[in-house]
Every structure is written in structure tokens, then in C-alpha cells.
Amino acid sequence: CMRCAWPLLRLSARAGLALRHGGAIRLRLAAASSSSSSSSSGGGGGLRAPDTSLFVPVPLKPVEGAAEEDVGAELTRPLDKGEVLKNLNKFYKRKEIQRLGAENGLDARLFHQAFISFRKYIMESSSVSADLHIILNDICCGAGHVDDLFPFFLRHAKQIFPMLDCMDDLRKISDLRLPPNWYPEARAIQRKIIFHAGPTNSGKTYHAIQRFLTAKSGIYCGPLKLLAHEIFQKSNAANVPCDLVTGEERVYATEDARQASHIACTIEMCSTNTPYEVAVIDEIQMIRDPARGWAWTRALLGLCAEEIHVCGESAAIDLVTELMYTTGEEVEVRNYKRLTPLTVLDYALESLDNLQPGDCIVCFSKNDIYSVSRQIEARGLECAVIYGSLPPGTKLEQAKKFNDPNDPCKILVATDAIGMGLNLCIKRIIFNSIVKPTVNEKGEKEIDSITTSQALQIAGRAGRFGSSFKQGEVTTMHRDDLLQLKEILSESVPPVKAAGLHPTPEQIEMFAYHLPDATLSNLIDIFVSLSQVDGLYFVCNIDDFKFLADMIQHIPLNLRSRYVFCTAPLNRKEPFVCTTLLKFARQFSRNEPLTFDWLCRHTKWPLAPPKNIKELVHLEAVHDVFDLYLWLSYRFMDMFPDAALVRDIQKKLDDIIQIGVCNITKLIRASQSGAASGAAEVPGERRGKSLRAYRSATRQEDLKSHGRGSLANRLLREGLLTQEMLRQLESEWQDQHRSGRYGLASKRNDQSSSKEMRKKKK
């Protein structure tokens, strides 16, 4: 009776094929008409083509060992796989099929991937659906055309690339062109925006905080825990109860743990649902930050406050005004001037022998910090040390030591971490270098001169209003850098052009609903590739997020928890912290609470004071692990239950790190003696490090002896030029200069010297 049903099934397969093929043709016509209409309308608002290299195909396994009867073979005959393969390859080469695929969202890359999968599925399956079997049999017998395969091919392509079926929905979800509409509570009130614009040490934040303190309720949003903690202390000291909220903890102003009317928080932690009378957003120019700019955008557009006081560089005024124009709110600008004079000196320091009390040497790497601090103490001077990876408590203690007029420590060696968050009594800022490694908007590392904004932020720390120094001074360590520093400081800060945005958990969840088989890293990639932003915004760099997403991808977590783990604030260059996050996630996935005892075993607590730099760096990493635990405990209280105990040992660890920083020169000496002994044992392994240490230690002397212009100095400084090479270059230059000819004679000299070199090699 199956044989009797064959003609009927063939007819139904043909009818379905005609309908599907007709639908494909209609799709093609519709696509053609829409493209012509969009081109006739000017083409300015066309959608950006997705980056299909991000589309990861969902594996579709061939059918193995047919559990049921092969209906297609029963109705017709078993397929000749050799003939099928020939016809499939003909199908692939058809230009008409490729055009039809492109009109249905399959560009050349996707078309190729889909065909490879389609061919593999047919060739390796023990049976295929009855309608596909009939069509393949007809084609092999000459009763059909290879084009008849297209509907089946398209169906298969949409199975392995599910985004093809929901591209319109994905585009709507990733449409970031109207961020103000994300905050209906803020749009429901008419807010007053006041921009306090001015340089460092101009009193702009002071005036905003005064209004914050007199308000019935208020929120302060700052970029650093240190700044939030400072406002928390000032507010409570002024009898204005204020809570502290950071990523790791909430400290209540009252003992009964009732929420205070005022809050000082890190900007990522601000609530966009709670109403306030006054909000203060500090360092608004960071809205352009490639990694964190989204937090300032969210605060500016979303805070529900009657008055929003924005503090920062005047370079952000135009952008803030334009953003507020889209919300229908006006901006009042109040300009401030620096309260104390700042002078750029006409001479460089050139030698550490010329240091004076109140000097701060700014370096842009830890290695330079170590080198400079050791050279200072070798001259019998005591120095404080501050850099970014130090715990906040250690930074405050080092700042207190430097500021104390009764302490013998009168010199500070620091990175640009002093640019904000610390009140320091600095008389003179000395740039050890004006070159800094940075990360651009694409997440790529670059080494470039510091920007005008960075130079002003750091230089402005000298001569702080209210300190013992009534004016500030700024210079460089090396003479050749001074002219360039003057040029940098004389330039105007380029205007802030765009505000950062970041996908929300809700948006990613909606993406995951449509693409359930995609990894979180792939979801983020597709989201960014499809996202549409207008000229006032940009999508923040997501490399750190993707790094963590890939790292924990193999661990079974629900999407929301996975998203939270991937937003954890950690430095991916620290292997110990990254592996700890991995262990946290694995334990979390097993629904096993991460107890205090578990954490102590993992970190080998208690820990001893460091004996060398390597041990100090490890202690800093352990401090970051404690920070990570506290950050996660704020979000998963039941799974990270021992936050109070961890906070206690973190304070003890802070004290241990302070001991190490106070003895940093001893640690450096111990590290270098260890490196020297290691070099004696394994010369090849240690040679590069020893050379770098030597070059760093002798750089100043080399520069003094061989300063022949900025290029020579830089090559010497970077270790690309030796004293002998420089002398040889000078000798050759003088010989050429004496000859007075740079054309043919120079060419001949080059040729003869190259011949001599070849002879020497032979």
C-alpha cells in the first residue's frame, strides 16, 4: 500500500516544493523592490550589513541507523550517493542559486558554510525526509532540476543559522539609537542640569558637594571607591547621614542599618529608580572612556533627581548639552578657574640629586616605580609609593605618610593613579616619561604620548588649594621631554564627542531567547555587530567581558548568573585572580556555598609579609581575590555567605601589604639578587631581564653622556641603541659632513661599506 501512495506523495512533495519555491521567488522580488525603494529614498538610513563571520553554525547531526522505515526509499528506490554528490555540487555552482541565497540573508561565507553542512547531512545520513528523498531521486533520474533543492537547502541553512529567521527581531533588540527612552522614570520629571566646568583644583566639585549636603536627599556618583569614601566621610562629619555603596559593600550611616537619605557610591552602583533631590556626577569627561563610559551615560540620562550637578572638564560641555537636548532639558554651565597658579618650569630635573621636599615623580609602569624608588633611597632619601594595583587602604596610608610634615618622607613616586581620588601636598610634579601604554577603542594596545587631558589631570595635583604649597610646578625628568610636555599642556583638550553604551542583561536575555545555542561571548559579538547607534554614542569595548565569558563557557550556569560573573571587575592580566574566578564559578554551578574556610584554603591564608617584589605582587592579587569575593557576595549573598569575615582578613592583608610597600627597596634588592643568582644558573633565560634592569639603572647616565637630540635619547632609553653604536654613527656622520656630498659619493660609501661587511661575513 506504500507503493500505491507513491504517486500521491510525489504530487504533494511537488506541490509543497512549488509553494516553497514560489515563496523564495517572492522573497527575491520583495528584496529587489525594497532595495530599489531604499536607494531611491537617498540611502542615508540603510541598515548596516551584519558581520556574518560572527555567526557560528549550530551543529546538525546526520540521521544514523533509521529507527523507522525509510519512507522515501520505500516509495522510490535507495539513493545513489555518487549521483547525489554530483548533483549537489552542480547546485552549489549555480549562480542563480547563489543570488537567491544572498537575497535570503546568505552571503558568500554563510552560503558556503550552509552548503557544506547540507551536503554532509545528506551524504552521511542513513535516510532523509520523504519529500527530500523524492526530489533527489527525481534529479538523479533526470526528471527534476537541481534548483528544486533550494527550499530544502534554505530550511537547513535556517536550522544551522537560526539568526536568519529572526534578524528583524535581533536588529530591534540591538537598536541603541534612543538611550533616553530606556529611563521612563527620569523622563517623567523635569530635571535641572548644572555643569560645573573647570580644571583640577578649581573648586568645581566642592561647590557641587555643598549643594549635595544642603539637600533633603542626594546621591554622589564618583569613578573611584576612594572618592566615594571621601564624600561618605565628609557628609557624616557634617552631620548629614550618608551611606556608602560600592561594588563590594554597603556601609550604613546608622547602626540600625536603615537607608540614609544621602548616598555616596561608585558610579556603576547608582540607582536609576530611586528619587533624589540632588545628584552629583563627578569626572563627567569619563563618559568617553572606552571601557567604563556607559556608567556615566546611564547616570546622566537615568538618575531621577530634581537637580543634577555634573562636574568635569569643559571639553564635555557640548556633548552633555547635546545629550540633554534629546531629553528636552537645558544645561546651566558654571565655569571655574584654578585656585592656585601652576607653572611649567624651563628646566628638567635631569638627576635625582636635584629632588626637593614635596616632589612627586610620575611613572607609567611598575618597573619604573621600582627603579626610581630604589635610586632615591640609595641617595639617603625616603619616599612614598602609590600605584594603581595597591589596595585603597595602602594608598591612603602612603598619602598620609607623604603629607605628614613631621614624617621624614618628603618624596612621592607614583603612577597616574594620583590623578584623582587622593588629596596630596605636592609642590612639583616631575614626569619621568611622557609616553604611556594605552588601550584604544578597539581594545588594541598602543604606546603613545600622554594626552593633554591626562597631562593636565596629573600636573594639576601640584600646589593643591589649602595645602602648604601656594603654587604648583611641573617639569620632566629628561630635558628632551620638556619641550614636548610644554606643547601638550599648551594644547586645548579636544572636545568629548560621544558617550559610551553597553548591552544590558535584559537585552542579552532577549538575544539568547532567539539564539538559544549561542555562547554568551558569541551573543555579545552578534549584538555589537548588529547594534545601531547615532553620532552621540559608541558601544564600549567588550574584550574583558568576552575574555571572562570564554573562560567560564564550559561551566553550566544560567544566563543571568553567567552575565554577572562576566561583569566582575578584575584584571585579566593576573592569572591567580582569573583562575580563582573560574573556581568560584565552578563551585557556584554545583550549588556549593563558597565559605570562609574554602577561601582561606585556596589563598593559603594567613600570609606572611613579602620578602621580594614577586611576593608583594602576589599579595596584591590575593587582595583582588578578596575584593572579587566581596563583589560576588553583594550579588549572591547565599552562595558567598562570609563577607564580614573576608572583609576582616582583607584589612589585615592591607596592613601586610603596607609593610611590604614601606620596605619596597629591600624587596627590590632581594628580587634583583635572586634574579642575579638565577642568571648565574640559567644565563640564557635571564639575559633579557638583566639587560632591561641594567638599561633602566644606567639610563640617566647614558642620557647625560650621549644626549644628541630626542631621537638618540629615545633609542638609548628603549635599549635600541648602545654607546658604541652611537659613537660609530657620530663618526660616520662627521665623515659624510666633511665630504659635503650626499649623492653619488654617499652612495659609493654605502656600497663599499656593504662590500666590506660581506667580506667580513665570508
Side-chain angles (χ1 to χ4, degrees):
C1 84
M2 287 297 292
R3 293 282 181 189
C4 299
W6 173 39
L8 223 91
L9 273 169
R10 179 187 287 277
L11 280 172
S12 65
R14 285 286 177 196
L17 176 63
L19 283 171
R20 285 190 292 268
H21 207 40
I25 299 296
R26 284 194 294 276
L27 271 172
R28 181 175 57 185
L29 291 171
S33 64
S34 66
S35 65
S36 64
S37 65
S38 66
S39 62
S40 65
S41 64
L47 294 175
R48 182 176 62 175
D51 182 359
T52 55
S53 66
L54 303 173
F55 293 3
V56 179
V58 177
L60 202 61
K61 291 183 180 178
V63 179
E64 296 175 356
E68 301 175 2
E69 198 176 349
D70 187 349
V71 177
E74 183 71 20
L75 291 173
T76 58
R77 63 179 182 179
L79 294 172
D80 180 346
K81 290 295 178 81
E83 283 297 315
V84 169
L85 181 60
K86 287 179 186 176
N87 285 293
L88 285 173
N89 289 335
K90 283 181 187 176
F91 170 82
Y92 174 71
K93 292 174 182 176
R94 292 266 298 158
K95 296 294 182 187
E96 179 63 23
I97 292 298
Q98 292 174 12
R99 281 197 294 271
L100 201 56
E103 288 161 9
N104 284 277
L106 293 168
D107 64 7
R109 180 189 283 107
L110 294 187
F111 182 85
H112 178 73
Q113 285 182 288
F115 173 74
I116 296 297
S117 175
F118 182 59
R119 184 176 64 185
K120 181 180 179 183
Y121 178 79
I122 291 174
M123 297 304 294
E124 295 183 7
S125 290
S126 56
S127 65
V128 294
S129 62
D131 53 353
L132 176 56
H133 187 110
I134 292 168
I135 296 301
L136 286 168
N137 183 70
D138 284 357
I139 294 169
C140 291
C141 295
H145 194 276
V146 289
D147 288 3
D148 296 342
L149 286 171
F150 183 77
F152 301 97
F153 167 72
L154 186 60
R155 181 176 66 188
H156 183 92
K158 288 183 176 180
Q159 283 180 300
I160 66 168
F161 294 116
M163 60 284 296
L164 295 174
D165 246 353
C166 55
M167 193 60 71
D168 289 342
D169 290 334
L170 296 179
R171 286 190 186 278
K172 286 176 185 174
I173 296 166
S174 58
D175 190 342
L176 307 179
R177 287 176 294 185
L178 292 171
N181 294 352
W182 303 348
Y183 308 102
E185 292 92 345
R187 300 292 77 78
I189 60 174
Q190 188 63 31
R191 306 181 306 169
K192 182 180 180 182
I193 314 296
I194 300 161
F195 196 124
H196 300 264
T200 305
N201 199 14
S202 61
K204 56 186 184 296
T205 308
Y206 169 82
H207 286 90
I209 295 301
Q210 292 304 111
R211 179 67 188 95
F212 166 83
L213 294 174
T214 58
K216 294 176 185 175
S217 62
I219 182 169
Y220 167 84
C221 308
L224 299 172
K225 284 184 278 188
L226 284 172
L227 285 169
H229 194 268
E230 181 185 345
I231 301 303
F232 164 73
Q233 288 183 321
K234 280 184 179 178
S235 187
N236 285 296
N239 295 319
V240 178
C242 178
D243 293 345
L244 173 67
V245 179
T246 67
E248 293 77 28
E249 64 177 336
R250 178 168 193 143
V251 180
Y252 291 96
T254 56
E255 292 181 1
D256 56 1
R258 282 188 303 170
Q259 185 172 326
S261 58
H262 288 66
I263 289 176
C265 66
T266 46
I267 194 157
E268 286 87 353
M269 298 302 295
C270 70
S271 168
T272 56
N273 302 318
T274 309
Y276 301 100
E277 183 184 349
V278 169
V280 177
I281 304 174
D282 207 358
E283 305 293 351
I284 188 62
Q285 70 276 1
M286 289 189 72
I287 201 169
R288 67 181 163 206
D289 188 83
R292 296 178 66 200
W294 62 269
W296 276 263
T297 306
R298 175 176 169 270
L300 182 63
L301 297 177
L303 282 172
C304 295
E306 297 169 25
E307 288 180 28
I308 297 195
H309 292 256
V310 177
C311 308
E313 295 176 0
S314 56
I317 292 175
D318 289 346
L319 177 64
V320 170
T321 304
E322 286 188 67
L323 292 175
M324 294 301 96
Y325 178 78
T326 65
T327 65
E329 294 161 331
E330 292 184 1
V331 179
E332 176 190 337
V333 179
R334 298 178 186 174
N335 289 299
Y336 300 83
K337 292 183 178 180
R338 186 178 165 87
L339 298 172
T340 57
L342 179 66
T343 305
V344 183
L345 300 177
D346 291 327
Y347 53 89
L349 189 72
E350 298 194 279
S351 170
L352 295 176
D353 295 329
N354 299 325
L355 285 171
Q356 301 170 2
D359 278 351
C360 171
I361 302 176
V362 177
C363 307
F364 293 114
S365 76
K366 268 192 189 180
N367 286 336
D368 284 347
I369 290 272
Y370 300 150
S371 173
V372 171
S373 58
R374 183 175 180 186
Q375 289 178 59
I376 289 171
E377 296 211 3
R379 287 164 167 78
L381 301 172
E382 196 172 332
C383 67
V385 174
I386 295 174
Y387 50 87
S389 59
L390 284 177
T394 305
K395 289 178 187 172
L396 288 170
E397 282 301 314
Q398 289 291 298
K400 183 180 177 183
K401 178 182 178 184
F402 174 70
N403 289 338
D404 186 354
N406 299 318
D407 196 290
C409 172
K410 301 299 179 188
I411 309 295
L412 175 63
V413 183
T415 62
D416 52 347
I418 63 161
M420 58 179 73
L422 292 166
N423 291 321
L424 296 161
C425 296
I426 298 171
K427 179 185 179 183
R428 181 170 60 173
I429 290 283
I430 301 155
F431 285 91
N432 189 56
S433 168
I434 53 172
V435 175
K436 179 187 177 183
T438 57
V439 178
N440 64 20
E441 290 180 6
K442 296 178 182 178
E444 300 165 338
K445 274 190 176 181
E446 293 178 345
I447 295 179
D448 202 358
S449 299
I450 56 174
T451 64
T452 300
S453 177
Q454 291 167 340
L456 288 170
Q457 187 80 22
I458 297 166
R461 309 307 289 177
R464 186 175 67 87
F465 181 75
S467 72
S468 54
F469 303 111
K470 302 303 178 188
Q471 67 174 23
E473 297 172 347
V474 58
T475 187
T476 58
M477 176 66 74
H478 310 291
R479 189 187 309 168
D480 296 315
D481 289 338
L482 185 56
L483 182 60
Q484 193 174 352
L485 178 65
K486 286 184 176 182
E487 289 174 3
I488 291 170
L489 291 172
S490 65
E491 293 171 1
S492 57
V493 179
V496 180
K497 295 180 179 178
L501 296 173
H502 193 279
T504 65
E506 293 76 21
Q507 289 168 328
I508 298 304
E509 280 181 340
M510 286 191 281
F511 248 58
Y513 172 78
H514 290 289
L515 306 174
D517 296 305
T519 65
L520 179 55
S521 177
N522 192 226
L523 284 174
I524 287 284
D525 272 336
I526 296 172
F527 184 98
V528 173
S529 77
L530 292 176
S531 63
Q532 301 173 69
V533 294
D534 66 23
L536 295 177
Y537 301 96
F538 69 93
V539 179
C540 284
N541 183 278
I542 53 168
D543 283 354
D544 287 345
F545 185 97
K546 283 175 55 187
F547 171 81
L548 296 179
D550 289 333
M551 189 175 73
I552 64 171
Q553 179 56 41
H554 65 285
I555 298 174
L557 295 168
N558 65 57
L559 184 67
R560 182 60 72 119
S561 299
R562 190 180 297 279
Y563 184 94
V564 171
F565 271 90
C566 292
T567 55
L570 59 81
N571 183 355
R572 60 176 171 167
K573 295 176 187 174
E574 295 178 350
F576 182 71
V577 183
C578 292
T579 54
T580 303
L581 178 72
L582 197 61
K583 291 178 181 179
F584 282 173
R586 194 175 289 122
Q587 187 95 339
F588 182 93
S589 70
R590 293 195 290 256
N591 205 30
E592 297 175 7
L594 290 104
T595 62
F596 176 73
D597 291 338
W598 183 95
L599 186 65
C600 289
R601 281 197 306 274
H602 173 70
T603 56
K604 298 179 181 176
W605 181 263
L607 295 163
K611 298 183 182 67
N612 52 46
I613 290 295
K614 185 178 178 182
E615 289 184 9
L616 176 62
V617 170
H618 178 69
L619 291 181
E620 292 167 7
V622 174
H623 193 280
D624 287 346
V625 165
F626 292 164
D627 259 347
L628 180 61
Y629 184 98
L630 294 171
W631 190 89
L632 289 165
S633 74
Y634 196 79
R635 288 146 185 84
F636 305 111
M637 295 181 186
D638 54 335
M639 295 299 291
F640 295 83
D642 296 329
L645 294 172
V646 173
R647 198 167 284 116
D648 287 341
I649 62 170
Q650 190 183 42
K651 289 174 182 173
K652 293 175 183 176
L653 178 58
D654 207 331
D655 294 337
I656 294 170
I657 292 173
Q658 285 176 39
I659 294 169
V661 173
C662 289
N663 298 317
I664 196 163
T665 52
K666 292 179 184 175
L667 303 187
I668 295 166
R669 281 196 295 272
S671 300
Q672 290 182 344
S673 63
S677 63
E681 292 170 15
V682 192
E685 275 185 24
R686 303 290 182 181
R687 184 173 177 272
K689 290 183 180 178
S690 301
L691 278 172
R692 284 196 294 273
Y694 169 77
R695 287 167 185 156
S696 178
T698 59
R699 179 170 61 183
Q700 291 182 42
E701 286 74 11
D702 287 348
L703 289 176
K704 285 179 75 177
S705 303
H706 301 286
R708 301 283 191 255
S710 60
L711 179 60
N713 282 342
R714 286 184 187 178
L715 291 172
L716 281 167
R717 194 179 311 158
E718 293 170 12
L720 301 174
L721 193 65
T722 64
Q723 299 176 27
E724 184 59 36
M725 290 165 66
L726 185 59
R727 280 195 290 271
Q728 188 176 345
L729 284 170
E730 286 175 347
S731 175
E732 289 177 6
W733 175 258
Q734 287 167 4
D735 290 341
Q736 285 187 352
H737 210 70
R738 279 195 292 270
S739 69
R741 296 167 66 190
Y742 298 94
L744 192 60
S746 175
K747 202 170 182 180
R748 285 174 188 156
N749 288 339
D750 290 344
Q751 288 172 351
S752 63
S753 63
S754 64
K755 284 178 183 176
E756 286 174 11
M757 288 293 288
R758 282 196 294 272
K759 284 178 184 176
K760 285 180 182 177
K761 285 180 182 177
K762 288 177 183 177

